[in-house]
Amino acid sequence: MTAQLSAPWLSRAPTVPERFVPSGARICPTTLTTSATLSSQSSTIQIVEVKNPSWQESGYANSNAFHGDQGESIWTDLDTDLYYWTKAIRPVQWFPGHIAKAEKELKDQLKLMDVVIEVRDARIPMSTSHPQMDSWLCNKKRILVLNREDMISTADRNAWAAYFARQGIKVVFSNGKLGMGTIKLGRLAKTMAADVNVKRRTKGLLSRPVRAGIVGYPNVGKSSLINRLLKRKMCAAAPRPGVTRELRWVRFGKDLELLDSPGILPMRISDQSAAIKLAICDDIGERSYDVADVAAILVQMLTRLPPVGTDALHKRYRIDVDALPGKMFVEKLALNLFNGDVHQAAFRILADFRKGKFGWTALERPPR
């Protein structure tokens, strides 16, 4: 069945911004149908043509091939589809008052840091990268931590490790809940900033602890990492954005000081594809988005990813996904399990993804 959708995010295919279309690319501004795929932006997307094939025709739903050129094509198509999808839903924006204050204080503290530890969500490393971070840090030594490595596949991990290695960026994969990667992180921070005390001694000054600032988006696991490093709960941590609201220095042994900071977001998120991923992964306040919209998008994303596909959704909810767009799937789940409560059904889908009920998978792959 290919009926025309009246869902708010599927009304008309908007124009793709020029920065996403390489020279010579062709765009087909076709209207999207129930079986159409909908996409996102990525700074390196090469859009050759938007044909909007059905999920069944594309062969993605049940394919096990997820590597090589075909794998790259799947991710590029998904990004393109997600970009279109976000155009007609309510924009996701969240900038509570404490973030503006924390951002100002963090900039002041940066000059005191010997090394900066930037924490990102391993499921969405690009979407949890602050667009102004490079300009803030300038030439500061930096360690990139991809937290929640337990929530992605080995293939995802290898792809990101290779990507950042090519850029010469030191990366630590971690699991803040279990403490995996924390010892390596502590050692690396001390090693990278060892020259600080060498310079102090040449000037006749006493050695001091290395100062490392931990920065990143909300709810990516910054405070949990610190608690694991210290082996005790020194910083408030909870699985929701906005728990840490003030900057705080804590001592780790005799030779390392850590700065715990609130999650920092841009005042306005222009990349709405990234914003949707933040919502899916619970890295932005729930008040910033419509839960039903985000869950519907997640359903259609998962059906496109072979590690998940339609089978995992059908097995979990006993609902045939093949002929249903995301919104209708959420509504059907609401009727089956929640007496028609779409909000509860949408929240269940998001919670199941965050708990790994569909298997662990990233929602991004490195740009080419």
Side-chain angles (χ1 to χ4, degrees):
M1 179 178 70
T2 351
Q4 189 71 33
L5 276 187
S6 59
W9 56 76
L10 294 178
S11 54
R12 183 180 300 173
T15 303
V16 178
E18 184 177 342
R19 65 193 180 97
F20 293 122
V21 186
S23 176
R26 292 181 292 133
I27 299 296
C28 295
T30 55
T31 303
L32 302 174
T33 64
T34 51
S35 58
T37 54
L38 300 157
S39 23
S40 141
Q41 63 195 53
S42 170
S43 58
T44 57
I45 286 179
Q46 295 183 351
I47 303 176
V48 178
E49 185 174 1
V50 180
K51 295 183 179 179
N52 297 325
S54 70
W55 300 336
Q56 294 80 8
E57 289 171 351
S58 66
Y60 295 150
N62 298 311
S63 172
N64 292 319
F66 204 47
H67 306 285
D69 292 339
Q70 184 177 359
E72 293 292 343
S73 175
I74 291 173
W75 285 103
T76 302
D77 290 347
L78 181 59
D79 281 343
T80 309
D81 292 340
L82 183 56
Y83 170 79
Y84 281 113
W85 204 337
T86 59
K87 278 300 177 180
I89 66 171
R90 190 186 88 189
V92 177
Q93 301 292 346
W94 191 64
F95 195 76
H98 76 273
I99 289 185
K101 178 183 176 183
E103 182 179 310
K104 182 177 182 299
E105 293 176 348
L106 180 61
K107 290 177 182 177
D108 292 336
Q109 292 292 320
L110 281 173
K111 64 188 74 170
L112 303 176
M113 298 178 192
D114 303 312
V115 60
V116 176
I117 299 171
E118 182 188 0
V119 184
R120 301 186 193 176
D121 190 324
R123 297 168 294 180
I124 48 172
M126 302 304 289
S127 295
T128 45
S129 171
H130 197 294
Q132 294 177 281
M133 188 63 69
D134 289 340
S135 62
W136 291 346
L137 300 186
C138 297
N139 295 322
K140 287 281 183 184
K141 296 178 180 178
R142 172 162 48 170
I143 301 171
L144 179 61
V145 175
L146 297 186
N147 194 32
R148 299 178 181 143
E149 71 158 340
D150 55 312
M151 295 185 176
I152 61 174
S153 68
T154 301
D156 294 327
R157 188 186 190 281
N158 292 342
W160 285 109
Y163 172 74
F164 287 115
R166 289 194 298 270
Q167 298 187 36
I169 298 175
K170 294 186 180 296
V171 179
V172 175
F173 287 85
S174 71
N175 178 345
K177 287 186 177 180
L178 300 180
M180 295 169 59
T182 53
I183 294 177
K184 179 180 178 181
L185 176 60
R187 289 174 180 168
L188 185 57
K190 294 175 188 177
T191 301
M192 289 186 67
D195 61 331
V196 171
N197 284 318
V198 173
K199 293 178 181 177
R200 287 178 64 86
R201 285 192 290 271
T202 60
K203 296 177 181 178
L205 300 174
L206 295 175
S207 297
R208 63 163 176 78
V210 169
R211 296 169 183 158
I214 298 186
V215 301
Y217 271 39
N219 203 36
V220 293
K222 300 181 297 297
S223 297
S224 295
L225 278 176
I226 291 178
N227 289 337
R228 280 294 177 177
L229 273 167
L230 300 176
K231 297 183 179 179
R232 61 186 184 276
K233 189 171 183 178
M234 292 291 292
C235 303
R240 65 179 186 276
V243 173
T244 303
R245 291 177 174 265
E246 297 179 349
L247 279 73
R248 181 186 181 189
W249 285 98
V250 293
R251 178 71 69 89
F252 177 52
K254 297 180 180 180
D255 49 7
L256 182 61
E257 291 180 348
L258 300 168
L259 176 66
D260 186 27
S261 64
I264 304 296
L265 284 167
M267 181 176 292
R268 181 172 181 79
I269 305 176
S270 57
D271 183 349
Q272 282 299 296
S273 297
I276 287 294
K277 295 173 189 174
L278 293 175
I280 290 172
C281 294
D282 201 20
D283 292 334
I284 196 169
E286 189 176 326
R287 292 183 179 180
S288 68
Y289 56 88
D290 184 293
V291 177
D293 283 352
V294 173
I297 290 177
L298 173 60
V299 167
Q300 293 198 180
M301 290 180 71
L302 293 179
T303 61
R304 296 288 302 280
L305 300 180
V308 181
T310 59
D311 290 344
L313 289 163
H314 181 268
K315 184 180 296 184
R316 181 71 180 165
Y317 303 118
R318 303 301 179 192
I319 297 175
D320 184 11
V321 189
D322 289 339
L324 294 178
K327 185 175 183 180
M328 291 178 64
F329 182 90
V330 175
E331 291 172 348
K332 190 167 183 178
L333 180 63
L335 291 173
N336 288 0
L337 296 181
F338 300 99
N339 295 319
D341 190 330
V342 172
H343 182 89
Q344 286 295 324
F347 187 81
R348 169 64 67 83
I349 294 170
L350 291 174
D352 284 348
F353 171 78
R354 294 163 184 169
K355 294 175 182 177
K357 300 298 183 182
F358 311 119
W360 297 121
T361 183
L363 296 181
E364 294 178 341
R365 277 290 179 92
R368 299 189 72 174

